[in-house]
Amino acid sequence: MSAEFNNLAIDFCGIKSPNPFWLASAPPTDKAYNVIRAFEAGWGGVVWKTLGEDPPAVNVSSRYSAIYGKNREVIGFNNIELITDRSLEINLREITAVKEAWPDRAIVVSLMLPCEEHYWADILPKVEATGADGIELNFGCPHGMPERGMGAAVGQVPEYVGMVTAWCKKHSKLPVIVKLTPNITDIRQPARAAHGGGADAVSLINTINSITSIDLERMVALPTVGSASTHGGYCGTAVKPIALNMVAEIARDPQTRGLPISGIGGINNWRDAAEFIALGAGCVQVCTAAMLHGFRIVEEMKDGLSRWMDSQGYRTIEEFRGRAVPNTTDWKYLDMNFKTIAHISQADCIGCGRCHVACEDTSHQAVARLVDEATGKRTYEVIDSECVGCNLCEITCPVQGCITMVPQQTGKGYLNWTQDPRNPRAEQVPTAA
């Protein structure tokens, strides 16, 4: 049994959990064996892999592909696996047994069914009878199931999202979490629809439509099934920025502000989790990191988050949840008078010249290369008057902390784009009385 941390306990839309780290609906939560191992490792909850109507879905072989970085580090992960391929009866029996054995852990059951009310009315009492803590409506799966009128095919139509959510609230007393698809223009629209249908929370993001790579010898995408392939759902580290933005959009939308959010997408460590929570998430769901590194990663996640909270004086998750939301705004409200420029620490510089090449070739020609005629030694210095503070040199520098961005005193007050005289549609700035 793993250690627990008192400051990590949460109550997410009425669902209690000893910590905010849940396993997402996916292969790691497909059956009792996996879920029990996860709870033994210390996970606070799971979303059981999506259940559907009988007969169950049939999966293909193979199912996964990946994008690799250096040393075969998996940056992005793609899958074409469908919902559970086990019978409803077996899943319900196992959910009941696991919940009885682990009453302090959150068990949420993911569901995906056709858009006809009677299917939902039939399954919801059966799920409720297991003792599960809530349900998650899978409106996000981007492959296989949309071809059958489910998954993302529902999530991309706000009217359907609101309709099915309302059915679930009508036929069940359990908290209803609506899982949203990122394969949509404006994530706020389905979130508003879910809220309007009575959802207790939303979870996001589900996976992103993708083809990760092509086998140029066989001229077929990966993963390959026989001699063909298809698009799949992309997840892992690479999708985190997309997920953070969509979480923030919902958290700061006046029409959904206050709606509980379960954050999903590229969460590998405690810091990733803290970022989602800072943008409003009440819990986080993990899949790819667990599949790549095993369930024990949750110990470092819990320990790291708890220690960071202690260092910041946060006694509970709620004390810092959403604290970054007020600082997230539309571009037009950013301060046009703010200025920052780069500074290169000569003591830390290794003389590689990457900052100069990047700035000279693709940016503002603001990093000078200086050569000592006597020694031939090269040094690099920022030309302050040319630097626009774009951060490119800092990003390309291989030495952390060598290049820093230094805010400048301009003597000018706050001025956003709606007020800027350079904007032909600027609004008149009120004068002081």
Side-chain angles (χ1 to χ4, degrees), residues 305-324:
L305 182 59
S306 181
R307 288 175 184 273
W308 174 80
M309 288 171 59
D310 287 343
S311 73
Q312 301 299 310
Y314 298 129
R315 294 167 296 177
T316 66
I317 294 290
E318 280 300 305
E319 288 190 1
F320 78 95
R321 185 179 66 82
R323 293 199 65 169

Side-chain angles (χ1 to χ4, degrees), residues 137-189:
L137 312 186
N138 185 346
F139 294 158
C141 180
H143 53 272
M145 304 313 293
E147 299 160 25
R148 311 176 194 191
M150 294 180 275
V154 178
Q156 290 167 339
V157 183
E159 293 80 6
Y160 292 171
V161 172
M163 177 180 70
V164 179
T165 301
W167 290 344
C168 293
K169 292 300 295 181
K170 174 183 175 182
H171 295 290
S172 177
K173 297 178 182 177
L174 293 176
V176 175
I177 304 169
V178 176
K179 190 171 187 178
L180 303 177
T181 176
N183 302 299
I184 194 167
T185 304
D186 186 350
I187 194 66
R188 296 173 301 176
Q189 299 303 321

Side-chain angles (χ1 to χ4, degrees), residues 22-49 86 91 94-102 105-109 295:
W22 296 3
L23 285 171
S25 171
T29 63
D30 183 46
K31 52 186 173 291
Y33 177 84
N34 303 77
V35 172
I36 290 171
R37 284 179 61 85
F39 286 162
E40 289 173 343
W43 291 87
V46 301
V47 181
W48 202 278
K49 186 168 182 180
R86 304 189 313 144
N91 276 298
E94 290 188 0
I95 293 168
T96 302
V98 175
K99 185 59 187 177
E100 288 178 353
W102 296 85
R105 307 303 170 91
I107 297 183
V108 175
V109 178
F295 289 152

Side-chain angles (χ1 to χ4, degrees), residues 35 45 47 63 90 113 116 118 144 150 156 159-160 169 183-184 201 235 243 284 326 339 352 366 420 427:
V35 172
V47 181
R63 304 177 188 180
I90 290 175
L113 296 158
E116 296 179 40
H118 68 90
M150 294 180 275
Q156 290 167 339
E159 293 80 6
Y160 292 171
K169 292 300 295 181
N183 302 299
I184 194 167
C235 53
V284 295
K339 181 174 177 59
C352 67
D420 197 312
E427 303 166 6

